[in-house]
Amino acid sequence: MATEKLYLRDAYLRSFEARVVDVDAEGRRVALDRTAFYPTGGGQPHDTGTIAGVAVVDVRKEGDTVWHTLAGDSRDAGDGALPAVGDEVEGAVDWERRHALMRTHTAMHVLCGVIWNEWGKAVTGGNMEPLSARMDFEFDPLPEGFGQRIEELVNAELVADRAIEVSFLPRDTALADADLIRTKLNLIPESVPEIRVVDIVGLDKQADGGTHVASTSEVGRIRVTKTESKGKGNKRIRLEVVDG
Ligand SMILES: [Zn+2]
């Protein structure tokens, strides 16, 4: 059964009520009719929190279903007991971790936009943890003084307080948008009729399933901690997100 993914439309939703629609007792996993828990994907790690008072330790998407792994032992009968199919439960997302991931994810998109505008280079990969990230770009070699220049350019965009808008576009409309071409929309399966677009207004527009803050000023500031070569045409930038 498809899970309604509340985080796609409201990244600020921290708690919600839902009904249990499937239970995998062996794996201590539950599926709900709707969820605010973000599952690992698109370079963004999963949320943590609680469902029916039991800690959520992993969240994965399988097909259209989001599975939440609960802490404890499969024989738990007390406080760590799994809810049953049909139960109404309350979910609560660990907001400190999620908000840190939102700030980090938005910082990565700002970095993409800055590098595209300034050097015309595309991103080749990336990964994030709360308040730290790495991204790879197709530079060869890295420009002189690159780390410091990046820091200045990204932080200027963060101070600029640009709005971040999420929209859902019909596939054909998205494919015709020149601003979206570099995000390789053609790699999204044709069975997906609607494309979710994250627009840092005036800077960077991407097809993206992640959770973002509402304005770049909410990110704070970034610090480039390292730049390194990962081979020909592939250079890595490591950054951390700090309070503004
Ligand atoms: Zn993203």
Side-chain angles (χ1 to χ4, degrees), residues 67-166:
W67 286 96
H68 313 77
T69 303
L70 302 190
D73 189 280
S74 57
R75 293 155 298 175
D76 260 336
D79 287 344
L82 286 180
V85 171
D87 282 1
E88 297 287 340
V89 293
E90 174 136 347
V93 173
D94 178 335
W95 183 245
E96 197 179 319
R97 173 181 164 89
R98 156 65 85 74
H99 190 244
L101 287 165
M102 285 160 61
R103 290 168 62 194
T104 310
H105 200 154
T106 299
M108 290 171 82
H109 283 216
V110 170
L111 178 64
C112 284
V114 159
I115 288 188
W116 182 260
N117 288 345
E118 195 76 8
W119 290 282
K121 301 294 187 188
V123 62
T124 56
N127 199 41
M128 79 188 84
E129 293 298 325
L131 305 181
S132 73
R134 63 169 171 77
M135 287 196 95
D136 298 340
F137 293 89
E138 55 186 16
F139 282 102
D140 218 15
L142 275 181
E144 192 89 5
F146 184 67
Q148 198 188 339
R149 184 86 185 111
I150 280 296
E151 224 173 75
E152 287 166 5
L153 289 168
V154 169
N155 285 333
E157 296 293 351
L158 297 179
V159 174
D161 197 18
R162 290 184 184 274
I164 294 143
E165 293 173 357
V166 174

Side-chain angles (χ1 to χ4, degrees), residues 42 105 109 206 208 212:
H105 200 154
H109 283 216
Q206 298 189 31
D208 191 79
H212 290 264

